[in-house]
Amino acid sequence: MSGHVRLHLEDAIARVTLSNPSKFNAMSRAMWRELRQVFTDLQQRGDVRAVVVAGEGGHFCAGGDIAEYTDFRFHPDGLRDFHENDVWGGLSALLACDLPVVAQIEGNCMGAGVEIACCCDIRLAGQGARFGAPIAKLGFPMAPREAELVAREVGLATARQMLLEAAVLDAQTLLSRGFLHSVLHDADVPAETQQRALRIARLAPQAARLNKQALRALAGGQGAEALVPTAYDYADSAEHREGIAAFLAKRPPNF
């Protein structure tokens, strides 16, 4: 078994690290399963307010661990199990997490790395980061659920370029196309990512969860009218009262 997904908690921030450094943090089957478990557990925690997803050793994730592929890729049932259960299990747990998730993207962000980044809410990258999904060179397409996710987040034109041309794009290009929120000097990425997460952690946690639930529903095709029946149930919550009271008293809120 190669690679691990590590979890570290500090100051209400969970740091999730993709760790397979000898392969630029390529995702093994075990890592996909660990990613699913980590985010399933984080969803249940009340002491975490933001999550950072990063790779170890100066790279985000270089894709899948190709050394494992001959074990299952040449049989439809095994291939289906890998994508529908292992890969989509990890990605869907990340998507279903109501905590704000910040991606710290450095170095290689390819294939599986792009998919994981697509599940994050805020994406910061270093100038040296590179993005792509050149799996056409390996002779296979992107799985349907994963292609839908990538096309939605990077845009259809960019998805076509990545998948059909096997293009590798730089961070400035992905910033100009709306996928990234900031591009930074490479050395500044870890500190700035931490500061963004701390900023989020100081804000209203219930509001963040409700916003993520609403945005997820809207992205899934539900109209706003479907959210209206329960949209205002937070009215008498302590967090709501504290935010308004703090503003009127001209003091910082204590969430």
Side-chain angles (χ1 to χ4, degrees):
M1 183 177 69
S2 64
H4 294 281
V5 176
R6 299 200 311 269
L7 175 64
H8 176 73
L9 302 174
E10 186 176 355
D11 297 328
I13 296 172
R15 187 170 187 86
V16 177
T17 302
L18 311 175
S19 178
N20 193 1
S22 67
K23 298 182 178 181
F24 301 128
N25 306 318
M27 293 291 288
S28 65
R29 296 192 80 166
M31 289 172 70
W32 283 117
R33 294 166 183 163
E34 289 177 1
L35 186 72
R36 179 178 188 171
Q37 189 61 57
V38 164
F39 274 93
T40 298
D41 293 345
L42 284 173
Q43 172 71 352
Q44 306 304 317
R45 298 187 69 113
D47 58 339
V48 177
R49 296 192 176 188
V51 183
V52 171
V53 178
E56 184 175 342
H59 292 277
F60 189 68
C61 170
D65 189 347
I66 300 171
E68 296 181 334
Y69 283 5
T70 56
D71 294 339
F72 59 85
R73 287 207 69 94
F74 304 135
H75 307 281
D77 290 343
L79 187 57
R80 182 180 297 108
D81 179 61
F82 169 66
H83 282 288
E84 296 297 318
N85 294 317
D86 292 341
V87 177
W88 192 249
L91 295 174
S92 61
L94 212 170
L95 288 167
C97 183
D98 291 333
L99 298 166
V101 182
V102 184
Q104 175 184 313
I105 304 172
E106 303 168 274
N108 290 319
C109 182
M110 302 290 170
V114 171
E115 294 172 2
I116 292 169
C118 283
C119 297
C120 299
D121 301 298
I122 305 295
R123 294 180 280 261
L124 311 181
Q127 292 175 329
R130 295 293 181 267
F131 301 80
I135 52 178
K137 295 180 179 180
L138 299 174
F140 60 85
M142 186 170 279
R145 297 184 201 276
E146 297 157 49
E148 181 182 38
L149 168 67
V150 171
R152 183 178 70 233
E153 294 297 319
V154 307
L156 273 172
T158 299
R160 288 189 177 103
Q161 191 175 4
M162 287 181 174
L163 293 173
L164 302 180
E165 192 182 337
V168 174
L169 306 174
D170 62 24
Q172 286 295 337
T173 299
L174 270 294
L175 177 67
S176 69
R177 297 184 185 183
F179 180 66
L180 296 175
H181 295 87
S182 297
V183 173
L184 310 161
H185 292 295
D186 291 334
D188 296 338
V189 175
E192 179 60 22
T193 305
Q194 183 70 9
Q195 285 304 309
R196 294 280 187 106
L198 285 169
R199 195 177 312 153
I200 290 169
R202 297 187 190 106
L203 300 173
Q206 176 185 254
R209 286 178 175 267
L210 292 173
N211 278 328
K212 284 209 63 173
Q213 291 166 16
L215 290 170
R216 185 166 59 242
L218 294 170
Q222 293 189 46
E225 63 277 3
L227 306 178
V228 169
T230 59
Y232 307 105
D233 290 353
Y234 68 87
D236 194 37
S237 68
E239 182 177 296
H240 188 205
R241 290 183 176 277
E242 167 61 12
I244 300 299
F247 180 85
L248 294 174
K250 296 181 173 58
R251 61 172 174 81
N254 182 16
F255 295 126

